[in-house]
Amino acid sequence: MPHARCWLFLIFVFGVFHPAYSAEPRQSPLPEEKARTLMVLHQPVVMLQAKIGYSTPEERVRRIQSALRNLSDEDVRHPVEVKAIRRYNQDCRLFTINGKPFMLLADQDLDEGDDLSLDQATLLVQKRLNSLRLALIQQYSPHYLLLSTLKGIGGLAILILLNRLSFSAWRWTKRYFDSRILQQKGIIPHAWRGLLGNIEARVVGTLLTLLGVALFYIWLSWLFRLFPYTRLWGESLGAYSVNVLEQIGLAIITAMPGLVIVAIIVLITVFILKLLRILLHQVETEKLHLPGIHPETVSATRKLISVAIWLFALSAAYPFLPGANSLAFKGVSVFFGLLLTLGSAGVMNHAMSGLVLIYSRALRRGDMIRIGENEGTVSEIGMLATKILTRESYIVTVPNAVAVSGKITNLSAFRRDAGITITTAVTIGYDTPWRQVHALLELAASQTPGINQSVAPVVRQLNLKDWYVEYELQVALEKGAVMPAVKSVLHAQIQDVFNTFGVQIMSPNFIAQPETPVVVLPEHWHNAPARPADENSSPVNPEIT
């Protein structure tokens, strides 16, 4: 087959549809109309509609394509001629080239909407075929190919020059923003630079890279269009890019009403949250009292209500989001829902336990608590865990589920307006008068800084052991006093007071029965610092109320 036939095969058979400049072919054809349209050099020539003999319009188009594939170089150099004939009892026009018939146009091929006679339609089709034939001969001429090659080289030189200018512009931009960073100037705060870096230069570089890719795509499409061998690829690239841009533009225009509604929903949500923040701030500062909401639960209440409002806003805005009804969007939603279901069991357990801690008001930030073996000040009550600052300045993180399931001892909940209450114990032998021990412990408490002296200390006799008595001293600290420090000083004062009056704190233990009973004689009941006036008092001091 001559090389002209190969060209004709590619051009006539594998052409794609473009808008026509005549009335007969459809501007937006349906799939069945495309099959009936004859394409030459990617241009629609005529759409056949009549069934001639047993041949359908689609079969007629395929026969015309087969006839065109068999044309030689010499045939293409002759003009297209038309003969009037009558076939199958209707007027027809036979198209020939170099005496070789290749197409028959019948009167029934015409569309009433075109308002053309058979001769008028024939003349239009003949002009189109001759114009396309001359364009084909010209494009395959050596002069045209040489000129196209020079154009391609010139376009490549311009593309390289534009890329060089783009790279130089990026380097200048990077130097400019680097100097701005050294001067601590710019839109982005200098404190964020360690994380974000030279973000402006990166944004400019990304935009210039995208511009370079777009220029290369345009140049490649234009280069393919210059040569008849690759014109199909070039026009396909151009049509694809145009279709993509059209789809993007159409998607943006179509999504604009929905995006406006989403923006309105977001603005209303933000306005409601601001009003809620103002209202809850009044509750937190105790300027307003709402049933069921306490100042210590305001923070958690604000977070819960904010999450609920945002979820409601998201559910309301979801149908208006672009692509909300697409399968991809639904698949992503199902995927995240599955992840949330599988991975949130333990998290939700801790989160709900945190809500129990907050709304039961079992503890709050700043309280002195004891959870298991951990004792310290509550530094944070989070949704998942509670943090305790111990006396050793350690941060102990207790999961909320563990805190709720165990025992929490709040040492400061009963007297939040005053200091917390602390206790300490000593064991003294039966040979020491209990009145003296009471007086010694009270004296040590009175000499300890950080103890609230307006609250009387309480001394209790907790247990009567086999060889000694267990005494407990309870005192109230001043507001803001640090419990570990005050307790350490109190222990030192107890040792000093007991040593001063010659009373040993060491608990006695016997391995044999003593020769004389270990008792306190009445004349020693009020040994210093005990006073005889305490003789008629109750053996146990009243508790602090």
Side-chain angles (χ1 to χ4, degrees):
M1 179 183 294
H3 59 84
R5 297 182 182 179
C6 297
W7 298 342
L8 289 172
F9 176 81
L10 294 175
I11 294 171
F12 287 104
V13 178
F14 297 104
V16 294
F17 182 81
H18 285 262
Y21 55 83
S22 66
E24 296 88 345
R26 300 292 182 261
Q27 296 292 337
S28 300
L30 299 174
E32 59 271 12
E33 293 175 339
K34 285 185 178 181
R36 300 176 182 178
T37 302
L38 176 65
M39 309 291 295
V40 177
L41 286 179
H42 317 297
Q43 298 293 334
V45 176
V46 65
M47 185 177 71
L48 306 179
Q49 302 187 79
K51 181 179 181 181
I52 298 181
Y54 295 101
S55 299
T56 63
E58 293 80 6
E59 292 175 346
R60 293 173 58 196
V61 170
R62 289 194 292 270
R63 288 183 180 180
I64 295 172
Q65 294 171 348
S66 177
L68 293 174
R69 286 197 296 267
N70 293 324
L71 295 177
S72 62
D73 294 341
E74 182 65 23
D75 295 334
V76 176
R77 298 184 182 278
H78 290 77
V80 176
E81 298 178 350
V82 179
K83 295 181 181 179
I85 62 174
R86 188 169 181 81
R87 185 80 54 88
Y88 298 101
N89 297 323
Q90 58 178 325
D91 293 331
C92 300
R93 298 296 182 267
L94 180 64
F95 289 80
T96 61
I97 184 170
N98 196 20
K100 297 179 180 180
F102 63 89
M103 183 176 67
L104 187 66
L105 184 64
D107 190 35
Q108 295 180 1
D109 287 323
L110 305 179
D111 193 339
E112 295 180 358
D114 296 332
D115 195 19
L116 294 174
S117 63
L118 180 59
D119 291 332
Q120 292 173 336
T122 301
L123 182 60
L124 290 175
V125 173
Q126 185 180 15
K127 288 181 178 180
R128 294 171 197 160
L129 290 173
N130 279 320
S131 298
L132 295 172
R133 181 184 61 83
L134 294 176
L136 177 64
I137 295 174
Q138 181 184 10
Q139 291 176 7
Y140 281 94
S141 64
H143 178 267
Y144 178 83
L145 295 177
L146 178 61
L147 182 61
S148 298
T149 302
L150 295 177
K151 288 180 179 180
I153 295 174
L156 179 60
I158 294 175
L159 178 64
I160 295 174
L161 177 61
L162 291 176
N163 286 329
R164 291 287 300 176
L165 293 176
S166 175
F167 182 72
S168 300
W170 177 78
R171 293 181 62 183
W172 178 87
T173 303
K174 190 175 185 303
R175 288 195 300 268
Y176 171 77
F177 283 114
D178 286 341
S179 64
R180 298 277 290 180
I181 291 174
L182 293 177
Q183 299 171 5
Q184 297 187 6
K185 296 181 179 179
I187 300 176
I188 299 176
H190 189 73
W192 296 3
R193 288 296 179 180
L195 175 64
L196 299 178
N198 197 350
I199 188 172
E200 297 96 339
R202 294 180 183 180
V203 170
V204 173
T206 302
L207 293 177
L208 292 177
T209 301
L210 294 177
L211 178 61
V213 173
L215 289 176
F216 177 77
Y217 186 92
I218 294 173
W219 172 80
L220 187 63
S221 176
W222 174 74
L223 180 65
F224 285 162
R225 287 170 180 264
L226 293 177
F227 299 95
Y229 315 101
T230 58
R231 183 170 289 110
L232 175 63
W233 299 344
E235 294 186 354
S236 298
L237 289 175
Y240 176 77
S241 59
V242 171
N243 291 335
V244 170
L245 293 177
E246 288 179 353
Q247 291 176 5
I248 293 175
L250 182 62
I252 294 175
I253 295 174
T254 305
M256 284 302 296
L259 293 177
V260 171
I261 296 176
V262 171
I264 293 174
I265 293 175
V266 171
L267 291 176
I268 294 175
T269 303
V270 172
F271 178 73
I272 293 174
L273 290 177
K274 286 186 177 181
L275 292 180
L276 176 66
R277 189 177 296 109
I278 295 173
L279 177 64
L280 293 180
H281 180 70
Q282 297 293 320
V283 177
E284 189 174 18
T285 56
E286 298 186 358
K287 296 179 180 179
L288 179 65
H289 297 279
L290 294 178
I293 301 180
H294 303 277
E296 56 267 23
T297 62
V298 165
S299 178
T301 303
R302 183 190 299 117
K303 294 177 182 178
L304 289 176
I305 297 178
S306 299
V307 170
I309 291 176
W310 276 117
L311 288 177
F312 179 78
L314 179 61
S315 61
Y318 178 84
F320 302 100
L321 293 175
N325 296 325
S326 63
L327 295 178
F329 206 104
K330 295 177 181 179
V332 171
S333 301
V334 173
F335 176 72
F336 280 107
L338 182 61
L339 289 182
L340 184 63
T341 301
L342 295 178
S344 64
V347 174
M348 290 303 297
N349 183 24
H350 292 299
M352 296 306 296
S353 299
L355 295 179
V356 171
L357 289 177
I358 293 173
Y359 283 97
S360 65
R361 294 186 293 167
L363 50 89
R364 67 179 183 180
R365 187 175 180 180
D367 285 352
M368 179 66 66
I369 66 170
R370 185 183 298 118
I371 300 180
E373 299 179 354
N374 302 304
E375 181 179 272
T377 304
V378 177
S379 61
E380 180 184 347
I381 305 176
M383 292 299 296
L384 301 179
T386 299
K387 296 184 182 297
I388 303 174
L389 177 62
T390 65
R391 63 176 178 270
E392 300 91 351
S393 297
Y394 299 155
I395 294 292
V396 178
T397 301
V398 182
N400 287 334
V402 175
V404 170
S405 62
K407 182 180 72 172
I408 302 175
T409 303
N410 195 325
L411 305 178
S412 56
F414 184 68
R415 302 179 58 87
R416 294 188 190 276
D417 54 341
I420 64 175
T421 300
I422 64 173
T423 60
T424 187
V426 293
T427 54
I428 308 297
Y430 286 99
D431 54 345
T432 303
W434 64 266
R435 294 175 180 85
Q436 185 184 23
V437 176
H438 281 220
L440 290 171
L441 292 175
E442 291 171 357
L443 179 60
S446 65
Q447 296 178 358
T448 303
I451 292 180
N452 189 355
Q453 302 300 331
S454 63
V455 180
V458 177
V459 180
R460 302 183 182 91
Q461 298 184 31
L462 297 181
N463 292 292
L464 300 177
K465 299 293 186 177
D466 290 339
W467 301 311
Y468 53 81
V469 181
E470 183 178 356
Y471 298 89
E472 180 186 72
L473 172 64
Q474 176 180 315
V475 294
L477 304 186
E478 294 178 349
K479 187 175 182 180
V482 181
M483 186 188 73
V486 175
K487 201 169 185 178
S488 177
V489 176
L490 176 60
H491 289 164
Q493 290 294 334
I494 291 175
Q495 294 180 66
D496 289 344
V497 169
F498 275 66
N499 289 333
T500 300
F501 289 91
V503 178
Q504 74 171 22
I505 300 178
M506 187 181 341
S507 304
N509 288 272
F510 299 100
I511 59 175
Q513 182 67 27
E515 296 180 359
T516 59
V518 181
V519 295
V520 179
L521 299 177
E523 58 268 23
H524 298 297
W525 283 7
H526 300 97
N527 287 351
R531 293 174 298 172
D534 294 340
E535 196 173 23
N536 297 324
S537 62
S538 174
V540 180
N541 291 339
E543 295 185 359
I544 297 177
T545 58

